[in-house]
Amino acid sequence: MDSTRQRTLEAAGWTVGSVADFLELSEVEATYVEMKLALSSSLRDTRTRQRLTQAELATQLHSSQSRVAKMEAGDPSVSLDLLMRALLQMGVTPRQIGAALRVPVAR
């Protein structure tokens, strides 16, 4: 957000901050959420690059289409472990997973 817009909002009585501030997340919690979102995004990008449907990926993972949808959405019920195993199953290397985690997630 540009500084002019922020000053305008603050002058009108609004508080401007991050999602982490709003949800009162610790730095560790915010980092965990960012990691899940980065891996979820990487999973979706990899699946679409490989021209797989969610149902086709689900078959490869011995899971369901709805579970893959939750994985791609960063649903709280999905663990980092499951996201990483899915990426590895699709042929993503540990180096590529590391690169995905270095990309800042839009807040």
Side-chain angles (χ1 to χ4, degrees):
M1 173 181 306
D2 68 59
S3 60
T4 303
R5 175 121 173 103
Q6 182 173 340
R7 282 194 303 274
T8 303
L9 288 171
E10 288 172 340
W14 292 93
T15 301
V16 178
S18 69
V19 172
D21 293 336
F22 179 75
L23 296 175
E24 298 179 350
L25 300 177
S26 70
E27 187 174 332
V28 170
E29 291 167 325
T31 300
Y32 182 82
V33 169
E34 288 176 6
M35 289 174 67
K36 281 187 73 169
L37 292 175
L39 292 175
S40 294
S41 178
S42 181
L43 179 68
R44 183 181 51 256
D45 293 346
T46 301
R47 179 185 58 77
T48 56
R49 259 194 324 276
Q50 292 183 5
R51 299 180 189 264
L52 293 171
T53 65
Q54 288 181 342
E56 290 167 335
L57 177 57
T59 299
Q60 287 182 13
L61 299 173
H62 306 290
S63 189
S64 65
Q65 177 275 324
S66 63
R67 190 72 178 147
V68 171
K70 286 181 180 184
M71 292 165 69
E72 291 182 358
D75 189 271
S77 68
V78 175
S79 67
L80 286 176
D81 177 64
L82 181 58
L83 289 167
M84 291 182 57
R85 285 189 292 137
L87 287 164
L88 293 169
Q89 175 69 34
M90 290 192 309
V92 176
T93 66
R95 184 177 300 273
Q96 290 168 319
I97 291 172
L101 291 172
R102 283 192 290 277
V103 176
V105 175
R107 291 185 181 188

